């Protein structure tokens, strides 16, 4: 049975009528919204009607695809937005959504998210995996919205022509505070060069209402051939695509970033080992390997339960060594590297109460997949 529906969308950010420009750049035309019965907005809004019934309403906006939904402007009559056409006798539900947009002369991509019920843990706050997924989603949308996206998962056009993909080699995330269920967060992301053949991507997560920065993250990416699975230099054509988007800015100051080497764990140095971890088909991503966010859950499998219950994970560094496929069985190793010190009695000084070193490896041949370091703060101290 086919279902038909229409939807008026009220976007509370400075979105507008899209017009073509170079590299998919859009310019804004704003419309006022003064309906006092609606949510109060600090900024002007743009309204569109999304419809899935007309033959014209398939996959394009001004000739471009938008998630399988055709988007067109709603008519403005006086200070009100006209009612949408009713098709097939179905009333149009009202949906308020926030989409991503470019800011700061298109060097920074900004997107807003609501923390969903299925993205929180036992304490009703977002998990580290949730944060990593939001960072990844914002990064992919940045590439797509820039007009550079090719056929690959986050790859540019020139990369797709050469069957190249981006792979992350290292990521460091610092969490000041975890959002709760229903909270709205705003994420900024941008890119810059990392050496001759790498790219750095940074993120900042803010509380949408207070604008407090609650999370910072930085990562390093390199290019890999999708068929040979070998690392590649950045072709000059790809470099020319991405250089116009480079922004020389750091989300984490160098002295606060975790650039130290992560020691390798062995059977002798590990305090806890969890074996028999098996990737599922749903853990695979569009690049035909296990999504890098999935490793976090497996790494935490070997962390003592009392730590998970009584401490917040406030810092995590992941150092990726090799790919993981669905057929691989894994082992998670953990050992404590630091404990509470006299100088870390105050939660506000952000020194960790606990620190662990981790290793995720193949069960069969002990080949390393990910090295990691985590830092934890007591939940009790945070409440005090």
């Amino acid at each position: 049975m086919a279902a038909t529906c229409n939807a008026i969308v009220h976007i509370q950010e400075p979105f507008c009528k899209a017009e073509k420009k170079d590299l998919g750049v859009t310019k804004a035309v704003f419309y006022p919204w003064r309906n006092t019965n609606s949510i109060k907005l600090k900024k002007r809004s743009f309204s569109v009607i999304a419809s899935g019934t007309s033959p014209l309403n398939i996959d394009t906006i001004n000739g471009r695809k938008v998630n399988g939904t055709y988007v067109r402007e709603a008519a403005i009559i006086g200070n009100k937005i006209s009612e949408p056409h009713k098709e097939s006798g179905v009333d149009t539900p009202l949906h308020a959504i926030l989409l991503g947009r470019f800011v700061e002369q298109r060097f920074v991509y900004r997107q807003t998210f609501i923390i969903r019920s299925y993205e929180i843990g036992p304490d009703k706050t977002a998990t580290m995996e949730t944060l990593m997924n939001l960072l990844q989603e914002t990064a992919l949308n940045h590439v797509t919205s820039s007009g550079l996206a090719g056929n690959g998962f986050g790859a540019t056009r020139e990369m797709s022509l050469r069957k190249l993909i981006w792979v992350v080699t290292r990521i460091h995330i610092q969490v000041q505070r975890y959002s709760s269920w229903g909270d709205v967060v705003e994420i900024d992301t941008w890119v810059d060069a990392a050496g001759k053949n790498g790219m750095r991507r940074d993120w900042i997560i803010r509380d949408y209402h207070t604008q407090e920065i609650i999370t910072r993250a930085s990562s390093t990416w390199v290019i890999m051939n999708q068929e040979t699975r070998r690392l590649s230099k950045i072709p000059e054509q790809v470099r020319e695509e991405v250089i116009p988007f480079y922004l020389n800015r750091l989300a984490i100051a160098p002295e606060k970033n975790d650039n130290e080497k992560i020691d390798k764990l062995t059977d002798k140095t590990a305090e806890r080992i969890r074996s028999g971890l098996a990737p599922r088909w749903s853990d695979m991503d569009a690049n035909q390997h296990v999504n890098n966010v999935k490793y976090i859950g497996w790494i935490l499998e070997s962390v003592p339960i009392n730590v998970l219950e009584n401490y917040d994970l406030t810092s995590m560094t992941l150092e990726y060594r090799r790919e993981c496929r669905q057929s691989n069985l894994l082992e998670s190793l953990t050992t404590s590297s630091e404990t509470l010190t006299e100088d870390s009695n105050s939660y506000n000084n952000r020194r960790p109460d606990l620190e662990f070193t981790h290793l995720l490896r193949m069960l069969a041949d002990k080949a390393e997949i990910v090295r990691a370091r985590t830092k934890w703060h007591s939940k009790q101290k945070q409440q005090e």
Side-chain angles (χ1 to χ4, degrees), residues 111-286:
Q111 188 159 6
T112 306
F113 298 90
I114 299 174
I115 303 301
R116 311 293 184 178
S117 60
Y118 51 82
E119 295 174 324
I120 62 174
D123 57 357
K124 298 182 181 179
T125 61
T127 65
M128 181 63 77
E129 289 173 276
T130 294
L131 297 184
M132 290 287 196
N133 276 321
L134 294 181
L135 298 184
Q136 181 172 272
E137 179 70 11
T138 308
L140 290 171
N141 290 339
H142 181 198
V143 176
T144 302
S145 300
S146 69
L148 296 178
N151 297 325
F153 194 54
T156 68
R157 293 190 185 94
E158 292 293 338
M159 290 174 65
S160 295
L161 291 174
R162 293 162 175 79
K163 299 182 179 179
L164 301 174
I165 58 175
W166 289 111
V167 292
V168 60
T169 58
R170 188 180 179 98
I171 184 167
H172 174 60
I173 181 169
Q174 298 175 355
V175 182
Q176 180 73 22
R177 176 173 64 82
Y178 284 95
S179 300
S180 300
W181 174 26
D183 285 353
V184 181
V185 296
E186 180 180 82
I187 303 179
D188 283 4
T189 187
W190 62 92
V191 294
D192 195 8
K196 294 182 179 180
N197 286 298
M199 184 176 74
R200 193 192 77 245
R201 176 176 287 280
D202 285 8
W203 299 266
I204 287 178
I205 303 181
R206 300 184 187 88
D207 181 289
Y208 179 77
H209 297 290
T210 67
Q211 290 297 292
E212 172 196 4
I213 296 178
I214 56 178
T215 300
R216 299 174 183 269
S218 184
S219 61
T220 304
W221 299 73
V222 295
I223 284 181
M224 185 176 75
N225 186 290
Q226 191 168 12
E227 293 186 343
T228 65
R229 316 309 285 186
R230 293 182 179 179
L231 298 183
S232 168
K233 293 183 178 180
I234 299 181
E236 193 58 34
Q237 296 87 341
V238 174
R239 196 184 308 276
E240 290 176 359
E241 284 183 308
V242 298
I243 281 180
F245 294 89
Y246 282 176
L247 176 64
N248 185 18
R249 177 187 297 175
L250 298 173
I252 304 174
E255 64 273 13
K256 295 183 179 180
N257 207 339
D258 183 2
N259 295 314
E260 296 181 5
K261 178 183 177 182
I262 302 177
D263 295 329
K264 178 182 179 179
L265 290 184
T266 64
D267 291 337
K268 293 183 179 180
T269 58
E271 296 173 355
R272 297 172 61 90
I273 301 178
R274 176 71 184 275
S275 300
L277 303 173
R280 303 165 299 178
W281 175 254
S282 59
D283 296 328
M284 307 296 287
D285 66 18

Side-chain angles (χ1 to χ4, degrees), residues 16-29 60-66 73 106 145-147 157:
C16 55
K17 182 177 178 181
E19 295 185 10
K20 260 190 177 180
K21 211 172 181 181
D22 51 46
L23 290 178
V25 177
T26 59
K27 71 176 183 179
V29 180
T60 61
I61 172 172
N62 293 333
R64 301 184 65 181
K65 291 185 178 180
V66 181
E73 294 179 56
R106 293 185 60 83
S145 300
S146 69
R157 293 190 185 94

Side-chain angles (χ1 to χ4, degrees), residues 38-155:
S38 301
I39 299 175
K40 293 182 179 180
L41 305 179
K42 295 182 179 180
K43 301 178 181 179
R44 294 178 178 179
S45 62
F46 164 62
S47 297
V48 297
I49 300 175
S51 173
T53 56
S54 169
L56 296 175
N57 300 343
I58 300 177
D59 294 348
T60 61
I61 172 172
N62 293 333
R64 301 184 65 181
K65 291 185 178 180
V66 181
N67 297 331
T69 304
Y70 175 77
V71 183
R72 56 191 169 90
E73 294 179 56
I76 307 282
I77 302 178
N79 294 331
K80 296 183 179 180
I81 298 176
S82 66
E83 292 295 324
H85 297 292
K86 294 182 179 180
E87 299 178 23
S88 303
V90 179
D91 291 337
T92 301
L94 185 64
H95 299 284
I97 61 172
L98 295 172
L99 301 178
R101 66 195 186 282
F102 284 96
V103 296
E104 299 189 43
Q105 300 178 339
R106 293 185 60 83
F107 285 111
V108 177
Y109 183 77
R110 179 172 295 169
Q111 188 159 6
T112 306
F113 298 90
I114 299 174
I115 303 301
R116 311 293 184 178
S117 60
Y118 51 82
E119 295 174 324
I120 62 174
D123 57 357
K124 298 182 181 179
T125 61
T127 65
M128 181 63 77
E129 289 173 276
T130 294
L131 297 184
M132 290 287 196
N133 276 321
L134 294 181
L135 298 184
Q136 181 172 272
E137 179 70 11
T138 308
L140 290 171
N141 290 339
H142 181 198
V143 176
T144 302
S145 300
S146 69
L148 296 178
N151 297 325
F153 194 54

Side-chain angles (χ1 to χ4, degrees), residues 345-379:
N345 288 328
S346 172
Y347 183 88
N348 293 328
N349 64 21
R350 306 308 296 167
R351 291 197 179 189
D353 297 327
L354 297 175
E355 184 175 316
F356 292 94
T357 301
H358 312 270
L359 174 65
L360 192 66
R361 69 185 184 187
M362 304 288 189
L363 178 61
D365 59 4
K366 311 302 182 184
E368 293 182 281
I369 301 173
V370 185
R371 293 185 188 184
R373 178 166 37 243
T374 58
K375 298 180 181 180
W376 307 71
H377 282 81
S378 169
K379 293 181 180 179

